[in-house]
Amino acid sequence: MLRPMSEKWDRRFIALARHIAEWSKDPSTKVGCVVVGPDREIRSTGFNGFPRGIDDTPERLNNRALKYPLVCHAEENAIMHAARTGISLKGCSAYVTWPPCTRCARSLVQAGVSEVMYPAELQIPDRWREDFEISSSMLDEAGVRSREVPDA
């Protein structure tokens, strides 16, 4: 069973996710993810970037047609890292700097994550609002709690 975290710890993990987001190779989608176990131990982290082994040359970074089909989202990178290292994410909490898209929501459900937290009062642009609503309902239907973490 998940031990509830205090708002102080929630804010710390969101701050860490924001720091990790700065490592993103794609400046237009700086998203970070920290997956935390029941005893506040960090199980995995991820940020938006290219899958391991992809050559991120300046041509690839600046060409949308080459770049976006290969970008892995922060949540998926965290899940892949955990899988490569044999770490279970079942029952864990995922702290992300941006609410997960439908693709990432599905991946989080499949990985067994129990809770998703993201910063409060984010301004979701209209072009992403429908995807955000769909991913929220996917998480709800799977029994994954999602909530906002207030800023300090």
Side-chain angles (χ1 to χ4, degrees):
M1 183 173 157
L2 276 177
R3 196 170 81 191
M5 297 222 201
S6 67
E7 279 190 17
K8 178 178 92 172
W9 279 101
D10 286 342
R11 287 193 300 269
R12 284 182 180 179
F13 288 126
I14 288 289
L16 179 58
R18 285 181 170 141
H19 174 72
I20 289 168
E22 293 302 313
W23 302 342
S24 175
K25 295 174 184 173
D26 182 353
S28 66
T29 57
K30 285 190 177 292
V31 179
C33 175
V34 177
V35 185
V36 179
D39 292 321
R40 294 194 288 240
E41 77 281 9
I42 296 171
R43 298 258 179 109
S44 190
T45 62
F47 57 91
N48 280 12
F50 299 106
R52 194 174 290 214
I54 296 295
D55 182 19
D56 51 342
T57 61
E59 178 189 1
R60 182 174 298 284
L61 286 170
N62 296 316
N63 184 333
R64 286 180 67 95
L66 295 174
K67 177 170 58 171
Y68 287 98
L70 298 171
V71 168
C72 278
H73 293 191
E75 298 91 332
E76 292 175 321
N77 272 330
I79 291 165
M80 286 191 298
H81 176 261
R84 277 195 301 269
T85 55
I87 295 172
S88 171
L89 301 182
K90 188 170 178 61
C92 291
S93 302
Y95 290 86
V96 292
T97 57
W98 189 257
C101 65
T102 50
R103 184 174 97 183
C104 290
R106 184 182 68 238
S107 296
L108 290 167
V109 168
Q110 290 172 343
V113 169
S114 297
E115 197 172 28
V116 177
M117 269 78 65
Y118 50 87
E121 300 178 26
L122 289 172
Q123 299 298 316
I124 309 290
D126 288 340
R127 68 176 184 249
W128 292 326
R129 190 167 303 282
E130 185 179 354
D131 188 71
F132 171 63
E133 290 168 1
I134 293 169
S135 67
S136 295
S137 66
M138 285 172 65
L139 292 171
D140 287 343
E141 288 174 17
V144 177
R145 293 181 301 278
S146 60
R147 64 181 170 88
E148 297 177 339
V149 173
D151 285 329

